[in-house]
Amino acid sequence: MIIALILLLLTLLGAPLFSIIGGSALWGFHSEEIDLQVVTIEIYRLAEMPILLAIPLFTFAGYLLGESQAPARMVRMAHALLGWMPGGLAIVALTACALFTAFTGASGVTIVALGALLYPALQQAGYPERFNLGLITTSGSLGLLFAPSLPLILYGVIAQQSSLDTPVNIDDLFLAGILPGLLMVVLLSGWSMWKQPKGQITTKFNSQEILSSIKESIWEIPLPIIVLGGIYGGYIAVSEAAAVTAVYVLIVEVFIKREVKIRQLPEVIRESMVLVGAILLILGVSLASTNYMIDAEIPTKLFHSIRSFIDSKWTFLIALNAFLLVLGMMLDIFSALIIIIPIILPIAAGYGIHPVHLGIVFLANMQLGYFTPPVGMNLFIASYRFNKPVMELYIATLPFFFILLFAVLLITYLPSLSLVFLSL
């Protein structure tokens, strides 16, 4: 009890997350008189996982794209293809942000990188300022359900380490995120069309502009085709797709487009690997902590305790939604995945919830938590980026919050949205 209080106090004082998780695992194994080398063994076992290579490679590719002019080319092409529709520019913003977040895996990077392009364009088009702020703040996390999103890969890695009767493959998660992700984009697109300023003249359909923008983005367009086509065509594994992506982006942006100088590469590598290093260190000690909890039958005991209050799978899911919304406000998505997933996976399995469906529900809720008042991370990033009071961001994101909350409920209670492609 004293150790638990000390760890809690250290957490409140801002101690690194990995030290808290590792400390709790070490104390748990020590109390059970288990050799503490088991923690080292878990970290070593993590290093042997082939799928783990995908995390640093996709992260590096995403950061490299963020340093180039690829985001501007992406916005131009999306505007040429969709700008003629009612609410076209707002739909362009949604689409561009979703695609960019899918490759970077970081919603804050999307707000910073694309906000400078999209915010003035939306203002010029006559959209209200509050709508613009809400749209960009919300769109920052839209791509978390689309491949090759880093949180999707990380969930798969964690789920594969849990002793589940139903195996979880990364490519299954990539497929499962397509319809739920599209549902969110479509609902927000409908709202954007409804909120289009009266009398606004949409951009005329211009085939020449479309061809010009496609020509300008000719090197980036094959990227999702190579990644997804290679994986689902059975030509390459996920880790191999990550290697192909990293090499392709490096060649295009550094040697062909020359938008990222060779002297910038060490800084890009450093920034991307700082994120990866933090994730892997937390993941290593978390797996050791997970093993202790399994040995101590903590998930089983939690399941029986919850079962005494909640006997329905659907009631459990709504309680899980509420819990994850609060969690998303307080923890970043990577920490939440690493800490919470090993605990709730066995409990959800006890209620008969498919682990792939659980992963999509978890990420959809965490996506919503990014901009849920009072402490959603995207609210503060957008406040800093656009120099606006956080309270103004709270109000601006409310309509988008309720639309996406409706989408999250549909994703939760219609498992077929996540599992239909798997059944095919």
Side-chain angles (χ1 to χ4, degrees), residues 310 312-322 348 353 357-358 361 365 412-413 415:
I310 301 173
S312 165
K313 164 185 174 180
W314 307 111
T315 309
F316 169 75
L317 281 171
I318 198 67
L320 181 65
N321 279 335
I353 298 167
H357 178 221
L358 176 70
V361 170
N365 275 281
T412 301
Y413 287 102

Side-chain angles (χ1 to χ4, degrees), residues 199-217:
Q200 182 197 23
I201 301 173
T202 55
T203 305
K204 292 183 180 179
F205 184 86
N206 188 331
S207 57
Q208 288 297 113
E209 172 63 12
I210 291 174
L211 290 173
S212 176
S213 64
I214 290 175
K215 184 179 178 181
E216 186 183 51
S217 303

Side-chain angles (χ1 to χ4, degrees), residues 183-406:
L183 172 66
M184 290 182 160
V185 173
V186 168
L187 288 176
L188 289 180
S189 296
W191 174 249
S192 300
M193 294 170 74
W194 176 263
K195 293 295 289 183
Q196 177 180 276
K198 293 180 180 179
Q200 182 197 23
I201 301 173
T202 55
T203 305
K204 292 183 180 179
F205 184 86
N206 188 331
S207 57
Q208 288 297 113
E209 172 63 12
I210 291 174
L211 290 173
S212 176
S213 64
I214 290 175
K215 184 179 178 181
E216 186 183 51
S217 303
I218 196 66
W219 289 105
E220 282 88 11
I221 291 172
L223 194 53
I225 299 170
I226 292 170
V227 174
L228 301 181
I231 292 171
Y232 297 117
Y235 302 109
I236 52 178
V238 174
S239 54
E240 294 166 337
V244 170
T245 301
V247 172
Y248 183 88
V249 171
L250 179 67
I251 292 171
V252 169
E253 306 302 342
V254 176
F255 298 105
I256 296 177
K257 291 286 188 179
R258 298 182 181 179
E259 292 172 347
V260 179
K261 306 300 181 186
I262 293 178
R263 65 175 181 272
Q264 292 177 262
L265 282 179
E267 183 62 21
V268 174
I269 293 170
R270 189 193 70 81
E271 288 182 4
S272 59
M273 292 309 110
V274 164
L275 172 63
V276 172
I279 292 171
L280 295 186
L281 189 55
I282 296 171
L283 182 57
V285 294
S286 178
L287 289 179
S289 178
T290 300
N291 276 352
Y292 165 70
M293 288 190 292
I294 292 171
D295 290 341
E297 298 183 341
I298 291 174
T300 306
K301 293 172 182 175
L302 278 174
F303 172 69
H304 289 307
S305 298
I306 294 170
R307 193 81 187 204
S308 63
F309 298 100
I310 301 173
D311 58 1
S312 165
K313 164 185 174 180
W314 307 111
T315 309
F316 169 75
L317 281 171
I318 198 67
L320 181 65
N321 279 335
F323 169 71
L324 292 178
L325 280 178
V326 175
L327 187 73
M329 290 187 289
M330 298 186 295
L331 278 182
D332 69 273
I333 194 166
F334 301 114
S335 301
L337 277 165
I338 292 166
I339 296 170
I340 302 300
I341 287 300
I343 298 173
I344 66 170
L345 257 176
I347 298 172
Y351 282 97
I353 298 167
H354 197 290
V356 171
H357 178 221
L358 176 70
I360 301 303
V361 170
F362 186 96
L363 293 178
N365 275 281
M366 294 303 294
Q367 177 176 311
L368 201 56
Y370 264 125
F371 57 91
T372 302
V375 288
M377 188 185 302
N378 280 9
L379 295 168
F380 294 94
I381 293 173
S383 173
Y384 173 78
R385 179 65 188 81
F386 302 116
N387 195 26
K388 301 290 181 183
V390 174
M391 187 58 68
E392 189 173 341
L393 272 299
Y394 288 173
I395 298 169
T397 53
L398 278 179
F400 300 91
F401 172 82
F402 287 114
I403 291 169
L404 289 184
L405 179 61
F406 174 68

